[in-house]
């Protein structure tokens, strides 16, 4: 009855509309049934399109420590990337793609009768693509988050991993919390942008949810371990130490242990001039050294240093006065401000010069002999540890007013006189080289005289002091190139013009003489002002004087208004200070009235301003902060850094 009634209504004039309504209802019912069966296919297509937005993963290193499977596995369609590359959720894609499918299916309904067959094929292809995409997603996660020996590596702009491999004895052990791997990041609607653009890791990144366990360094040097200097190579039963600075290919990621007997707070300045805690610097060779020398004594838990005592008879003050008598132009604390003391043994030399306003930097030569640079640092005197072999010392050319070698065992005449040529490089034109020995051999003296003559050094004085029983020779470097032209034998020859005398980081010593600066834009053409005027004098060869004036005012204001009063630092316990990125030495100049000394470090990747720092009467060195610094552990009381690590994050 109902069908017959419906047929009669169709034959009426308005029946055409009823026909279209019926067709539309049947079509919607078919679309609903089709969408129910094709939901899995829609989901797989969504995942494929979302991974297409991410793009191909960057290239990775061959060496990799994979994240455990429990942490890197994909947990459903809501799993997201660990390091910021976030995929769109499956629910959002389903709602968008479902509408598109409905429109497409209405069109297919009109002209395609073999639709079920196509559905079965599409469904089968979707299952295969789902398994492939699941594997691809795992590979993307592994490649995007590289962990090399427990350390996340940085990806550069080309998608390559920066840095050396890490690990070995002092490898960093990282145990990541599983919650941080499973937790979804709420990015406030920015997930679509992140899906299109990968974020590069500026690393190494430290996960706040991670637990880091640091091993203690297990080396022969133990609590006195200096990486890049205390390198040990085991060949069978023998162990050799490098005589040159050589950093390990595997960066040490370990903690230097404290002394076995514990570590005490250093004796504050100026009491540290006369006594230090023995347990802070003790090592077996030091104990044997104390028994043979009178200028250092063991007194309970302290090492004491009697005033004016040294290895020289008559005391160190008599020794310094005799040098001034031999060469009156040497005026300690006025004409002579910055001195390099080669071979740090008796720190009484630097201690006595400090009372005369002379900043003496002790160069500790790291070898099998007793190196007392650590004792000098603990007492509060400037010191730097550096091997002295075939490479240049980390100083610019022509910066030291005087160089002192008291009883040092360096064979100046060996290897073509390379060591003396290096002294010639870093000595200021017109500067002084003071050489003192207790027992001169006639052969060594003759060879040294010939070598000094070949580089045109003038012997100003030669005297054997009756009180100290020490023979002292004082040489002076020429201050012009005219004398080089008068040499009969042009050996050693003059260096080539393209040989930069200020290049000193991993640069071999040349067997040649650098020309004396003569142009007004070169440093070293004139002797600096007397101390302390030179601290505020701006030489003619400095081109950017305005920047220097601004830098000096900047740090003076910051130190006076903030560092000395507003940071809660007890400056009575501060003696050894390092400025890790000294530009013009403004920070050190602002602290010149404090009872501290500052090691000004100029990184090798920044403009070379170290010559001017020495010109001001301050001391410093070159360094690459991707390597270990050349000093003993626990050397400095305060480290100052300004805009350094931001420049190193990509390295």
């Amino acid at each position: 009855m109902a069908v017959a009634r419906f047929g009669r209504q169709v034959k009426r004039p308005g029946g055409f509309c009823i026909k279209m309504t019926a067709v539309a209802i049947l079509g919607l019912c078919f679309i609903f049934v089709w969408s129910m069966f094709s939901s899995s296919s829609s989901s797989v297509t969504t995942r494929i399109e979302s991974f297409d937005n991410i793009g191909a993963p960057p290239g990775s290193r061959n060496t990799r420590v994979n994240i455990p499977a429990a942490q890197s596995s994909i947990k459903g369609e809501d799993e997201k990337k660990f390091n910021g590359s976030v995929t769109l959720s499956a629910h959002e894609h389903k709602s968008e793609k479902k509408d598109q499918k409905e429109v497409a299916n209405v069109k297919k309904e009109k002209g395609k009768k073999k639709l079920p067959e196509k559905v079965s094929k599409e469904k089968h292809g979707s299952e295969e693509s789902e398994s492939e995409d699941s594997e691809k997603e795992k590979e993307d996660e592994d490649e995007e988050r590289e962990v090399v020996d427990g350390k996340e590596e940085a990806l550069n702009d080309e998608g390559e991993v920066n840095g050396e491999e890490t690990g070995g004895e002092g490898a960093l052990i990282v145990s990541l919390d599983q919650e941080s791997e499973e937790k979804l990041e709420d990015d406030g609607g920015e997930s679509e942008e992140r899906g299109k653009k990968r974020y590069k890791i500026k690393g190494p990144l430290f996960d706040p949810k991670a637990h880091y366990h640091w091993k203690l360094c297990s080396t022969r040097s133990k609590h006195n371990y200096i990486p890049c200097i205390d390198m040990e190579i085991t060949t069978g039963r023998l162990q050799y130490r490098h005589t040159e600075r050589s950093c390990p290919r595997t960066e040490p990621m370990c903690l230097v242990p404290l002394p076995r007997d514990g570590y005490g707070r250093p004796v504050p300045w100026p009491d540290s001039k006369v006594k230090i805690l023995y347990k802070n610097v003790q090592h077996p060779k030091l104990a044997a050294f104390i028994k043979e020398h009178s200028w250092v004594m063991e007194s309970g838990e302290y090492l004491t240093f009697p005033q004016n005592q040294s290895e020289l008879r008559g005391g160190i003050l008599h020794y310094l006065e005799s040098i001034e008598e031999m060469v009156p132009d040497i005026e300690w604390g006025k004409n002579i401000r910055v001195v390099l003391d080669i071979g740090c043994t008796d720190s009484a030399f630097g201690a006595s010069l400090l009372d005369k306003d002379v900043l003496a930097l002790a160069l500790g030569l790291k070898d099998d002999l007793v190196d007392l640079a650590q004792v000098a640092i603990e007492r509060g005197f400037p010191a730097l540890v550096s091997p002295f072999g075939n490479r240049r010392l980390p100083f610019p050319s022509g910066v030291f007013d005087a160089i002192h070698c008291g009883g040092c065992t360096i064979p100046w005449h060996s290897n073509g006189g390379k060591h003396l040529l290096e002294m010639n490089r870093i000595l200021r034109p017109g500067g002084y080289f003071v050489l003192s020995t207790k027992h001169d051999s006639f052969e060594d003296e003759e060879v040294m005289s010939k070598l000094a003559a070949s580089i045109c050094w003038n012997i100003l004085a030669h005297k054997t002091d009756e009180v100290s029983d020490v023979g002292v020779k004082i040489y002076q470097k020429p201050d012009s190139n005219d004398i080089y032209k008068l040499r009969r034998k042009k050996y050693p020859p003059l260096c080539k013009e393209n040989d930069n005398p200020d290049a000193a980081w991993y640069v071999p010593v040349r067997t040649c003489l650098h020309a004396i600066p003569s142009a007004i834009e070169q440093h070293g053409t004139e002797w600096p002002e007397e101390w302390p005027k030179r601290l505020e004098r701006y030489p003619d060869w400095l081109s950017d004087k305005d920047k220097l004036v601004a830098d000096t005012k900047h740090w003076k204001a910051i130190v006076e208004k903030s560092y000395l009063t507003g940071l809660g630092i007890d400056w009575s316990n501060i003696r050894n200070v390092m400025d890790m990125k000294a530009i013009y030495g403004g920070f050190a100049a602002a602290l010149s009235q404090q009872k501290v000394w500052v090691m000004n470090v100029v990184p090798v990747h920044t403009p070379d301003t170290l010559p001017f720092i020495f010109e001001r009467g301050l001391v410093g060195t070159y360094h690459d902060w991707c390597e270990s610094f050349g000093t003993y552990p626990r050397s400095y009381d305060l480290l100052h850094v300004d805009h350094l690590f931001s420049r190193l994050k990509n390295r």
Side-chain angles (χ1 to χ4, degrees):
M1 294 292 292
V3 174
R5 189 182 301 120
F6 182 78
R8 288 194 295 270
Q9 291 177 355
V10 168
K11 294 179 181 180
R12 294 179 181 179
F16 181 78
C17 295
I18 299 176
K19 288 180 183 180
M20 297 303 297
T21 303
V23 171
I25 293 173
L26 290 175
L28 291 175
C29 293
F30 184 82
I31 291 173
F32 177 76
V33 174
W34 163 248
S35 63
M36 294 295 294
F37 285 98
S38 64
S39 61
S40 61
S41 175
S42 166
S43 174
V44 174
T45 306
T46 298
R47 294 186 62 186
I48 294 174
E49 292 180 5
S50 66
F51 276 97
D52 288 342
N53 290 335
I54 295 177
S60 59
R61 294 177 68 96
N62 295 330
T63 305
R64 179 192 303 170
V65 177
N66 293 324
I67 303 174
Q71 298 176 2
S72 61
S73 61
I74 308 300
K75 298 179 178 62
E77 295 175 347
D78 293 332
E79 184 70 15
K80 298 189 178 182
K81 301 291 170 127
F82 180 79
N83 276 326
S85 296
V86 185
T87 60
L88 292 176
S89 65
H91 178 72
E92 293 173 350
H93 281 290
K94 283 181 181 179
S95 62
E96 295 176 3
K97 298 297 180 180
K98 184 175 179 180
D99 295 338
Q100 298 177 5
K101 285 287 183 180
E102 289 177 358
V103 176
N105 289 333
V106 170
K107 296 179 180 179
K108 291 178 184 179
E109 179 187 1
K110 294 180 180 179
K112 296 186 179 180
K113 297 180 180 179
K114 296 182 180 181
L115 190 60
E117 226 172 289
K118 186 173 181 181
V119 170
S120 62
K121 291 181 180 179
E122 187 173 335
K123 205 170 180 183
H124 179 69
S126 300
E127 290 174 358
E128 292 179 355
S129 62
E130 183 176 8
S131 61
E132 292 175 0
D133 288 332
S134 177
E135 295 177 0
K136 181 180 178 183
E137 187 174 357
K138 291 180 181 180
E139 292 176 1
D140 285 351
E141 273 200 353
D142 288 344
E143 293 187 359
E144 184 175 8
R145 180 166 182 257
E146 280 288 335
V147 180
V148 182
D149 288 344
K151 177 180 176 182
E152 289 182 337
E153 289 288 283
L155 298 176
N156 59 21
D157 294 336
E158 290 76 26
E160 296 176 353
V161 181
N162 292 324
E164 296 287 339
E165 299 176 6
T166 59
E169 181 67 29
L172 174 62
I173 304 174
V174 183
S175 58
L176 293 172
D177 289 342
Q178 194 168 353
E179 296 178 359
S180 64
E181 188 77 14
E182 298 175 355
K183 186 177 179 181
L184 298 179
E185 180 181 349
D186 184 10
D187 56 2
E190 297 178 358
S191 59
E192 188 171 356
E193 286 186 350
R194 296 187 183 183
K196 295 180 181 178
K197 183 179 180 182
R198 292 181 64 104
Y199 282 171
K200 305 297 183 184
I201 303 175
K202 300 296 185 182
L205 299 178
F206 289 90
D207 185 4
K209 296 285 186 178
H211 300 288
Y212 297 92
H213 303 282
W214 299 85
K215 290 183 179 180
L216 294 181
C217 300
S218 177
T219 62
R220 182 181 176 186
S221 303
K222 298 180 181 178
H223 57 272
N224 292 325
Y225 174 51
I226 308 177
C228 301
I229 293 180
D230 289 342
M231 287 288 293
E232 300 170 1
I233 298 179
T234 303
T235 306
R237 296 182 179 180
L238 300 177
Q239 288 188 340
Y240 299 93
R241 290 194 178 188
H242 286 285
T243 56
E244 294 281 0
R245 178 182 176 86
S246 178
C247 293
R249 184 176 182 274
T250 301
E251 299 93 341
M253 297 289 290
C254 58
L255 293 178
V256 178
L258 291 175
R260 181 180 300 177
D261 297 335
Y263 180 78
R265 181 184 292 274
V267 178
W269 183 267
D271 295 338
S272 60
K273 292 176 63 176
V274 295
K275 68 175 183 178
I276 60 174
L277 285 174
Y278 187 15
K279 63 182 179 181
N280 288 3
V281 297
Q282 66 182 10
H283 56 83
K285 293 183 179 180
L286 180 60
F289 182 84
I290 294 173
K291 297 178 181 179
E292 300 177 359
H293 298 81
S294 60
W295 62 271
V296 54
M297 294 183 290
E298 183 178 358
S299 177
E301 60 178 349
Y302 295 100
L303 287 181
T304 59
F305 307 91
Q307 189 174 6
N308 196 30
Q309 290 293 322
S310 70
E311 292 183 325
L312 304 174
R313 297 178 184 177
I316 192 67
L317 292 178
H318 173 76
Y319 175 71
L320 295 176
E321 291 172 358
S322 64
I323 292 176
E324 285 185 303
E325 291 177 359
M326 294 169 65
V327 181
D329 289 341
I330 296 180
E331 298 178 284
W332 301 117
K334 294 181 181 180
N335 188 36
I336 304 298
R337 163 63 181 175
V338 183
V339 176
L340 180 67
D341 187 17
I342 299 290
C344 185
T345 53
D346 187 355
S347 55
F349 179 79
S352 299
L353 283 180
L354 195 62
D355 296 334
K356 297 178 177 291
D357 281 339
V358 176
L359 200 56
L361 177 62
L363 182 67
L365 305 178
K366 188 66 176 172
D367 50 25
D368 291 335
L369 301 177
V370 176
D371 178 19
L372 299 180
Q374 189 177 23
V375 174
I377 293 172
E378 189 74 15
R379 294 181 67 182
F381 305 137
L384 180 70
V385 179
S386 176
F388 189 21
N390 296 320
R391 296 198 188 112
R392 291 178 178 176
L393 295 173
F395 308 115
S397 63
V399 292
F400 288 100
D401 304 334
I403 298 176
H404 174 257
C405 177
C408 58
T409 58
I410 295 178
W412 298 107
H413 56 276
S414 63
N415 295 325
K418 280 187 175 182
H419 294 98
L420 198 65
L421 288 172
E422 177 63 4
M423 296 296 99
N424 183 78
R425 182 186 72 88
I426 63 177
L427 186 63
R428 187 180 299 280
Y432 306 94
F433 182 78
V434 182
L435 179 64
S436 64
T437 55
K438 287 186 177 181
H439 305 287
D440 287 339
S441 67
F442 179 78
E443 294 180 357
D444 291 343
E445 183 178 348
E446 185 178 2
V447 173
M448 182 63 184
S449 298
K450 290 182 179 179
L451 184 58
S454 67
I455 60 177
C456 301
W457 279 12
N458 183 27
I459 300 180
L460 297 181
H462 182 197
K463 177 183 177 182
T464 299
D465 188 76
E466 297 179 356
V467 177
S468 59
D469 193 22
V470 170
V472 180
K473 278 186 179 181
I474 302 178
Y475 301 87
Q476 186 177 28
K477 178 181 176 180
D479 56 2
S480 68
N481 294 311
D482 296 336
I483 194 171
Y484 291 152
K485 301 177 182 179
L486 301 176
R487 294 184 302 166
R488 293 182 179 179
K489 295 182 179 180
K490 307 299 182 181
Y491 186 85
L494 293 178
C495 298
K496 297 180 180 179
E497 293 183 359
N498 60 356
D499 186 357
N500 182 11
D502 295 333
W505 190 248
Y506 286 106
V507 176
V509 177
R510 314 291 188 192
T511 54
C512 61
L513 286 172
H514 288 95
I516 304 297
S518 56
I520 192 173
E521 64 272 8
Q522 293 178 297
H523 70 87
T525 55
E526 296 181 356
W527 195 273
E529 292 281 347
E530 292 185 353
W531 179 261
K533 294 180 181 179
R534 65 192 291 182
L535 185 64
E536 302 295 337
R537 182 183 178 275
Y538 309 132
D540 296 333
W541 53 265
L542 193 68
S543 59
D544 48 356
K545 295 182 181 180
D546 295 337
K547 292 182 179 180
L548 173 60
V549 173
D551 181 79
T552 302
K553 293 181 179 179
H554 169 76
W555 285 114
K556 185 176 181 180
I558 289 181
V559 168
E560 291 179 353
K561 297 179 181 180
S562 179
Y563 283 23
L564 297 179
T565 57
L567 295 183
I569 298 175
D570 185 4
W571 288 92
S572 63
N573 293 324
I574 303 298
R575 173 60 186 171
N576 303 337
V577 179
M578 175 188 287
D579 190 359
M580 297 176 67
K581 187 186 176 185
I583 302 178
Y584 296 107
F587 176 72
L591 292 175
S592 60
Q593 300 301 318
Q594 306 300 317
K595 297 179 180 179
V596 300
W597 72 272
V598 181
M599 174 65 78
N600 296 278
V601 180
V602 174
V604 293
H605 61 276
T606 61
D608 185 12
T609 56
L610 192 55
F612 174 70
I613 291 176
F614 277 91
E615 190 84 5
R616 304 185 76 172
L618 307 172
V619 294
T621 181
Y622 295 117
H623 187 61
D624 184 352
W625 281 115
C626 290
E627 298 182 5
S628 169
F629 189 78
T631 190
Y632 282 94
R634 308 169 298 276
S635 291
Y636 289 91
D637 306 318
L638 187 145
L639 301 178
H640 177 258
V641 57
D642 178 59
H643 288 81
L644 171 65
F645 298 119
S646 59
R647 307 293 175 89
L648 297 176
K649 62 184 181 182
N650 290 331
R651 300 182 61 204

